[in-house]
Amino acid sequence: MENIAEHKFTFNANWTGGRNDIGEIQSGNLTTKVSIPSSMDGPGIGTNPDELLLSAASTCYLISLATMLEYSNVKATLSLHSEGIVQVSKAVLTYKKIIHNIEISLLDKSERAERITKRLAVKAEETCMISKALKGNVEIIINCTII
């Protein structure tokens, strides 16, 4: 019989008022204010759900890739710039796309290391638990540059 572990994450929020007010959130080591971004006619204080989703997807991808590279004995430095694209149609907001622009600086410049790295840059997105949760709803694109 397989021993399956579960990890529990908690989230707490306080919000008073309406659409353009400011709330406070706390989850693990994260404590911050939250509101609708100014680009969507909100107060733009603290973070917002769109940034949190992008941050979750980006850090999950980055950690997954770093882990896979380590297990493959490929030493590298990673730099990630991600963009989240939210579509507005008739006042309905839809998170359409996340684009990960990953720059990987290899310490080992061998053809083997580059081949493995290119493969893992894609595989990391496929195995990241946040990417899996978004699959079928949000398109995720990987643009990989190896230095």
Side-chain angles (χ1 to χ4, degrees), residues 122-139:
V122 173
K123 187 146 183 71
E125 185 275 321
E126 295 168 354
T127 60
C128 160
M129 75 173 176
I130 302 299
S131 295
K132 286 181 187 179
L134 297 174
K135 189 172 180 130
N137 292 307
V138 178
E139 178 184 9

Side-chain angles (χ1 to χ4, degrees), residues 9 29 54-72 74 76-82 100 102-104 120-131 142:
F9 298 94
N29 292 323
L54 180 60
S55 297
S58 299
T59 54
C60 184
Y61 171 70
L62 193 63
I63 291 168
S64 295
L65 179 54
T67 301
M68 294 172 124
L69 289 170
E70 180 181 326
Y71 287 165
S72 298
V74 175
T77 301
L78 309 176
S79 178
L80 179 64
H81 171 79
S82 297
H100 294 310
I102 184 79
E103 187 174 277
I104 305 169
L120 294 181
V122 173
K123 187 146 183 71
E125 185 275 321
E126 295 168 354
T127 60
C128 160
M129 75 173 176
I130 302 299
S131 295
I142 306 297

Side-chain angles (χ1 to χ4, degrees), residues 23-87:
E24 294 180 0
I25 61 170
Q26 186 281 320
S27 181
N29 292 323
L30 173 66
T31 301
T32 190
K33 293 186 182 310
V34 64
S35 70
I36 294 173
S38 55
S39 64
M40 295 178 173
D41 297 323
I45 304 295
T47 191
N48 58 70
D50 309 290
E51 290 173 344
L52 290 169
L53 180 63
L54 180 60
S55 297
S58 299
T59 54
C60 184
Y61 171 70
L62 193 63
I63 291 168
S64 295
L65 179 54
T67 301
M68 294 172 124
L69 289 170
E70 180 181 326
Y71 287 165
S72 298
N73 294 314
V74 175
K75 296 191 184 316
T77 301
L78 309 176
S79 178
L80 179 64
H81 171 79
S82 297
E83 298 173 339
I85 310 298
V86 175
Q87 184 178 53

